[in-house]
Amino acid sequence: MLSYIIDPSIILIVALALVAVFSLCYLFKDQIEEINTRIRKANILHKKLKKFCKNHDYILLTNLILPTSDGKRIKIDDLIIADKYIYIISQRILYGNISGVEEDAKWIVRSTKESKYFSNPFKSNEIRLQVVANLSNIETLNFVNMVCFSKTAFIKDVRLENKNKVITNIDKIEKDIISHEKASDLNDFKNEDVETLAAFLYQTSKQSTRK
């Protein structure tokens, strides 16, 4: 019968590696848990929007990776092509009361534990909106810059002047899109144009992720 002798140094290296992995997981357990929470909540919104778009005959594109004019790439969480508008949706998971002004670079979130600043989500989402507008050659008046917060965020003092900037949450997003569509005096997109745009953005994203 053949017998194998394992070098003790290999056992020691493996043991040390396992200890290091478990130690890192313990040290960063809060960050790991937060990432898992973000992924889970993002998937919940994706599923909600998928059902909503199916019921209203809208087109939903998720997790698009599109090229920018300076050779970089930018990610779009959710993009909805509705009857009158193209909605560029950014998901934000925060905990506490949200305050901010449309033109300010920083907003603030206040919880029972702390208050901290975060980048104005509409400004970063405006970059995404402009990328899609440039790629599609569609005027920005046909777009809605929409930021969707988690249920754990409460909109207390947010001032927006532009009607095509909409702040919402996962419970209200469907109603907000419907009301925005009803209030618009724009003409509906043509079906063939919608399908062409969706196919173009999908293929552009697919090519961009290969690079």
Side-chain angles (χ1 to χ4, degrees):
M1 178 182 294
L2 294 175
S3 61
Y4 298 92
I5 300 175
I6 300 176
D7 189 336
S9 63
I10 294 178
I11 297 176
L12 179 60
I13 291 171
V14 172
L16 289 173
L18 289 173
V19 170
V21 169
F22 285 118
S23 297
L24 287 172
C25 289
Y26 179 77
L27 288 172
F28 295 100
K29 63 179 180 179
D30 290 341
Q31 291 89 333
I32 293 171
E33 184 178 345
E34 182 178 353
I35 291 172
N36 288 333
T37 299
R38 290 178 182 276
I39 293 173
R40 185 173 66 254
K41 289 186 176 181
N43 288 335
I44 291 173
L45 181 59
H46 290 328
K47 290 178 181 178
K48 186 181 184 76
L49 292 179
K50 183 177 181 181
K51 182 178 180 180
F52 169 72
C53 289
K54 182 178 180 180
N55 291 338
H56 290 80
D57 200 24
Y58 295 162
I59 290 180
L60 170 67
L61 298 172
T62 62
N63 298 321
L64 290 173
I65 306 295
L66 299 176
T68 62
S69 58
D70 57 0
K72 297 179 181 180
R73 293 182 294 181
I74 196 166
K75 179 178 178 291
I76 297 175
D77 294 329
D78 297 281
L79 182 152
I80 292 177
I81 308 175
D83 292 331
K84 299 178 182 295
Y85 289 108
I86 299 168
Y87 296 81
I88 308 297
I89 303 170
S90 175
Q91 302 178 37
R92 297 301 303 267
I93 299 172
L94 293 173
Y95 300 84
N97 298 327
I98 308 296
S99 300
V101 179
E102 181 178 329
E103 295 305 320
D104 286 352
K106 296 287 186 180
W107 285 12
I108 190 168
V109 54
R110 296 182 176 89
S111 66
T112 54
K113 294 182 179 180
E114 61 180 349
S115 295
K116 61 181 180 180
Y117 289 95
F118 65 100
S119 297
N120 181 339
F122 283 97
K123 286 190 176 294
S124 55
N125 208 39
E126 187 66 29
I127 297 173
R128 301 181 182 95
L129 187 155
Q130 194 62 57
V131 167
V132 178
N134 291 341
L135 286 172
S136 60
N137 291 318
I138 295 176
E139 293 184 32
T140 55
L141 61 87
N142 294 106
F143 288 83
V144 173
N145 183 342
M146 177 172 275
V147 176
C148 180
F149 283 99
S150 56
K151 293 181 181 180
T152 52
F154 303 94
I155 314 304
K156 292 298 182 181
D157 184 22
V158 173
R159 283 166 281 171
L160 300 174
E161 300 293 334
N162 189 330
K163 68 176 184 178
N164 278 3
K165 290 182 179 179
V166 178
I167 191 167
T168 186
N169 63 39
I170 193 169
D171 288 332
K172 290 177 52 188
I173 189 167
E174 295 172 325
K175 291 181 180 178
D176 285 338
I177 291 175
I178 290 172
S179 63
H180 209 76
E181 290 286 304
K182 288 182 177 179
S184 175
D185 56 2
L186 295 176
N187 294 325
D188 286 6
F189 293 121
K190 295 180 180 178
N191 289 337
E192 57 268 27
D193 292 339
V194 169
E195 293 172 2
T196 299
L197 174 61
F200 168 74
L201 292 175
Y202 175 78
Q203 289 300 326
T204 302
S205 176
K206 194 173 180 180
Q207 292 170 7
S208 185
T209 53
R210 290 174 180 171
K211 296 181 180 179

